[in-house]
Amino acid sequence: MLQESQYTEDNIRSLDWKEHIRTRPGMYIGKLGDGSSPDDGIYILIKEVLDNCIDEFVMGAGKTIEVTIKDRTVSVRDYGRGIPLGKVVEVVSRMNTGGKYDSKAFKKSVGLNGVGTKAVNALSSYFRVESVRDNQQKAAEFSAGNLTLEEDQVETTKRKGTKVTFTADDTIFKNYKFRNDYIVRMLKNYCYLNKGLTIIYNGEKFVSENGLQDLLQETITEEDMIYPIIHLTGNDIEIALTHSKTQYSEEYYSFVNGQNTTQGGTHLTAFKEAIVRTIKEFYNKNFEASDIRKSIVSAISVKVEEPVFESQTKTKLGSTDMGPDLPTVRTFVNDFIKTNLDNFLHKNPEVADALLRKILQAERERKELSGIRKLAKDRAKKASLHNKKLRDCRVHLTDAKNPRSLESTLFITEGNSASGSITKSRDVNTQAVFSLRGKPLNTYGMTKKIVYENEEFNLLQAALNIEEDYEDLRYNNIVLATDADVDGMHIRLLMITFFLQFFPELIKEGHLYILQTPLFRVRNKKKTIYCYSEQERIDAIEELKPKPEITRFKGLGEISPDEFKNFIGEDIRLEPVMLDKASSIEKLLEFYMGKNTPDRQEFIIDNLKVELDKVEA
């Protein structure tokens, strides 16, 4: 008989603010991660500090923000009003303390709950805050949220404003490193949304004169646009949109009060509905919504009073109203687009004609594919009942309305042995496995028809749940797990080609990764070291001398499930597949996957020889 567990006063424990944040960091900054994903915690820490600087800019205080990152230490300096000197310590270390509770001063603030900077403080091994006001400076330092130094208030000639410096705690954010591309993207977004703001990052200056129009011009080249970007602005709303000649899917960038709502929300839903409704009415045609939105590349930014987000990381807007005694988000967005987009199309008939041709083309393609799609869906359903290609995880099934969890991962593997090792060692709650059979097809230059006719790709897109809409993606992280040999590299390239060709937003939004697994195991009776490069192998041999046992892993299937737990668990190493500018997709595919050319041969010789030497070692 099981002994009854005791539940007494001794079981009740109260955590102070910093202990609670450090014990449950996910409640405050989402997932931790190691910096390989744009929504990893170390970037949320930077964002939380920057949000305060942006609010100062919005209030008309300070037009420049300086951001410096050296090694793992981040410094953010604004030239706003500065924290009131008597409250410098409290503002960064006492919950429910801050200026944003005064809704008159911060009606459309990014951060409303006064938690952000406290979370950064609690999750940093080193944290320093300096405030300058009225030629006086006050500063304090902390470690893991504990006050270690409080400086006296002193006179200074520095310009007014606030400077925060922090180093994320590596006992919480393990093996982390900052990816420059993610930081630049974040900073550029702040500039797009705040015309007149200058951000200087490690000496490089970012500024935007045209808001969301500049964002789209960074995303798509003029030669890939069906028509020039439509850019419309109003009180508390800004939109930009065009359609792509080459992209199959829809692509949206959405923002609320300067916050990049990567998971959308009520404003994005309203935006999609309004675009469809307005275009139907303009042409007086009952087009399918999917035909209107196919290949759209667009952005929307709204400002909402006292917004309600669905999580502390503010990635999805939950508010239904623009603010107290104001219209609903849906009504506000729809009325703006109905009036302004309709007016624009009437005044620009050449754009209206180009858009109509695009919609009619999408309609023809949809009808041509409809039969194939139905057969493919039926085939995928039947196959999923019998085959073992997909071994699913549990986490995304817990919420039907929002099935994608930030922690959910799909490993795409080659062969049964590799799939078996990962399947046996994975976390069944958050990690799923999809097994490829042989080398996938080179899809370069092929139409979307091939995605439905090819069994591997049909089942893969069904597993990802992106047959109809990228927004329905089931897994936050898609990881290519192939052998570290020439064949494995080839499979990676073919899979990246597939995603670039048909689902480029998966790469643009930071969902695609390559799993880094060790090439060598070096061990003696006392210690085992896994090495991811030739240099690490040399260093390990030096550390474990004399004559340790050395194993070369030629395939994932050679790594036992017990060992594999080390490589897909807490210490997982993921290399993000990154794309600086979507405009280069066509040229990238042509260069790497098109007809063989002297240029490509020269590139391979110059850049891959070292890698292949490692593989064959």
Side-chain angles (χ1 to χ4, degrees), residues 361-611:
Q361 178 188 342
E363 187 177 61
R364 288 193 300 271
E365 290 175 354
R366 175 179 53 82
K367 289 177 178 177
E368 288 172 5
L369 283 174
S370 61
I372 297 172
R373 271 180 171 168
K374 187 176 184 306
L375 288 172
K377 275 192 170 183
D378 291 342
R379 210 163 59 232
K381 285 179 181 177
K382 289 178 182 177
S384 65
L385 294 174
H386 304 292
N387 77 74
K388 298 293 183 182
K389 293 187 74 63
L390 175 66
R391 297 167 177 85
D392 212 346
C393 60
R394 298 170 184 158
V395 68
H396 71 270
L397 301 174
T398 59
D399 184 352
K401 291 183 179 178
N402 184 25
R404 192 196 332 159
S405 161
L406 289 176
E407 302 293 340
S408 60
T409 297
L410 178 69
F411 292 100
I412 300 175
T413 67
E414 55 167 319
N416 293 328
S417 57
S419 297
S421 291
I422 293 181
T423 300
K424 290 175 183 175
S425 55
R426 69 184 173 129
D427 179 345
V428 295
N429 289 311
T430 61
Q431 295 176 330
V433 182
F434 184 91
S435 304
L436 293 172
R437 185 179 61 208
K439 283 188 181 177
L441 188 68
N442 179 2
T443 60
Y444 171 66
M446 295 184 178
T447 66
K448 191 70 175 282
K449 182 179 177 184
I450 195 66
V451 180
Y452 298 98
E453 291 183 333
N454 180 275
E455 183 179 5
E456 292 283 298
F457 290 140
N458 180 38
L459 292 175
L460 177 58
Q461 73 164 352
L464 293 171
N465 198 37
I466 51 178
E467 303 105 315
E468 301 295 338
D469 192 344
Y470 157 71
E471 294 295 317
D472 297 328
L473 177 68
R474 296 173 85 199
Y475 306 95
N476 196 58
N477 310 308
I478 303 163
V479 179
L480 303 178
T482 62
D483 289 343
D485 57 15
V486 175
D487 285 342
M489 289 182 181
H490 191 199
I491 290 172
R492 283 184 205 169
L493 187 57
L494 291 169
M495 291 307 302
I496 292 171
T497 299
F498 165 73
F499 286 115
L500 277 174
Q501 182 87 0
F502 302 112
F503 305 103
E505 58 276 78
L506 289 177
I507 297 176
K508 291 181 198 173
E509 294 301 314
H511 294 293
L512 188 63
Y513 303 88
I514 293 170
L515 177 66
Q516 300 294 312
T517 52
L519 296 173
F520 306 97
R521 179 182 61 210
V522 181
R523 66 183 177 184
N524 59 21
K525 292 181 179 179
K526 295 182 179 179
K527 189 174 183 180
T528 298
I529 301 175
Y530 295 100
C531 309
Y532 291 76
S533 67
E534 179 65 22
Q535 186 58 52
E536 288 186 16
R537 183 183 74 89
I538 294 170
D539 294 343
I541 292 172
E542 180 68 24
E543 180 181 342
L544 298 184
K545 58 185 178 185
K547 293 185 178 179
E549 174 192 316
I550 302 170
T551 302
R552 166 71 164 94
F553 296 121
K554 292 188 177 180
L556 300 184
E558 295 182 358
I559 305 175
S560 69
D562 286 341
E563 283 184 297
F564 226 119
K565 286 181 180 178
N566 300 314
F567 315 132
I568 62 172
E570 195 174 77
D571 297 326
I572 190 170
R573 293 195 191 185
L574 297 176
E575 191 64 34
V577 178
M578 304 177 93
L579 191 63
D580 286 338
K581 197 172 182 181
S583 54
S584 58
I585 287 178
E586 200 65 24
K587 291 178 181 176
L588 274 173
L589 289 174
E590 183 180 357
F591 181 79
Y592 287 107
M593 306 307 293
K595 291 181 180 179
N596 204 357
T597 64
D599 287 344
R600 187 168 68 194
Q601 291 178 29
E602 185 178 340
F603 173 85
I604 292 172
I605 291 169
D606 291 346
N607 293 278
L608 299 185
K609 187 175 185 302
V610 173
E611 293 299 320

